[in-house]
Amino acid sequence: MPKTSSLLGLGLLLLTGPAWASEPATVVPPPMWPAPGAPLTVAEVQFPKGFGKRRIYLDAGHGAEGNTGNKGVTCEDEEAFTLRVAEDLAKRLEATGHFQVRLSRKSGERVPYPARVTAAEQWRAHAMLSLHSDSRGAAMSWSPTPEQECLRQDAAPGFTVLWSESEEATALLQTGRAGLARALALRLGQAGFPPYDGVDYEGLYAIDAEQSGVFVAREPTHRKIFVLRKPRIPSVIIETHHALDFEEAARWREQRTLEAFAAAVAQGLVDALAPKVPAKTRASAPR
């Protein structure tokens, strides 16, 4: 190659840089829930030594006489959604070998709420979880199919966990309710389910001071909900998602969502129900 060509090539290299150099790759953040593909984590549930097997009464919300719950964005009755999710969660919890689960109702049954509470208490359940979906904000009418007219509101996704400061509950019971709600909300958030901020809960529930996504039915100024205030065992309501949000409702039909939800609930139950080791015992344990 002539000398002048070599010098020219070197000059171009100095100006443009080596051929393999390129602009820094743009980091694309993962999609945010409830967008399709927004990641969820299915964590391995850790059971401490001596945890044994705990009895969980799983209430598929609504399904009482004249009480089908809300209608979701595709006009699915809440009672159908909660039963579907409760049946799936029951199987996954029992598959761990550390939970025995009873469901409050079967398909086609109409079970009064007092009967559910009585059944949970007589079975001596360690906890009662009532599953629901939420309906929030000012919705607009839309048609998912030509034959349907449903409600839609896509601006308030996320879960909540509710517990009650009912006046008749002992301090110990209220501590159990609060601990269960906070443990479940913490684990749901870690799995990738976002907590709802509660903007539409004003006058209904108070914001829990310790854990995002947790709300308190505080008497006498807030709602009195039977399955929260009446059980003499720790009980909470899990509002899994906003039923009028099209993308979030679609995500709750995915197996990955059900799997992540079950793992988070299982770990939250372990956190809340595991025997507490006395501080003196912990301090004297060998290191």
Side-chain angles (χ1 to χ4, degrees), residues 54-194:
R54 300 304 168 108
R55 295 180 297 277
I56 306 301
Y57 190 85
L58 200 54
D59 174 36
H62 301 281
E65 193 65 42
N67 186 350
T68 60
N70 65 48
K71 279 192 178 293
V73 66
T74 58
C75 290
E76 180 183 31
D77 284 329
E78 186 177 0
E79 67 175 12
F81 167 80
T82 60
L83 183 58
R84 172 165 54 84
V85 175
E87 289 174 339
D88 183 90
L89 178 58
K91 292 176 183 177
R92 295 180 190 273
L93 289 178
E94 291 201 324
T96 67
H98 288 280
F99 296 106
Q100 185 178 358
V101 181
R102 284 191 182 178
L103 290 172
S104 63
R105 60 185 178 91
K106 299 177 182 178
S107 180
E109 290 184 334
R110 288 284 178 260
V111 182
Y113 278 112
R116 304 181 196 198
V117 172
T118 298
E121 292 179 344
Q122 289 182 346
W123 186 46
R124 299 177 63 190
H126 292 95
M128 178 176 180
L129 309 185
S130 187
L131 301 184
H132 292 255
S133 65
D134 216 347
S135 178
R136 304 163 184 155
M140 61 182 295
S141 179
W142 85 300
S143 297
T145 68
E147 297 79 24
Q148 291 179 306
E149 186 171 328
C150 314
L151 292 177
R152 181 168 180 173
Q153 202 269 31
D154 296 324
F159 75 87
T160 62
V161 185
L162 315 176
W163 66 279
S164 173
E165 281 187 352
S166 56
E167 295 172 347
E168 65 265 36
T170 64
L172 182 62
L173 178 55
Q174 289 195 23
T175 298
R177 291 172 177 173
L180 178 60
R182 292 164 185 162
L184 290 167
L186 174 65
R187 295 300 184 176
L188 287 169
Q190 290 175 345
F193 297 99

Side-chain angles (χ1 to χ4, degrees), residues 201-225:
Y201 282 0
E202 186 175 355
L204 299 177
Y205 312 108
I207 297 175
D208 185 87
E210 296 190 25
Q211 177 61 51
S212 59
V214 177
F215 295 85
V216 189
R218 185 168 287 149
E219 299 177 10
T221 58
H222 297 95
R223 291 181 67 183
K224 295 182 178 182
I225 301 176

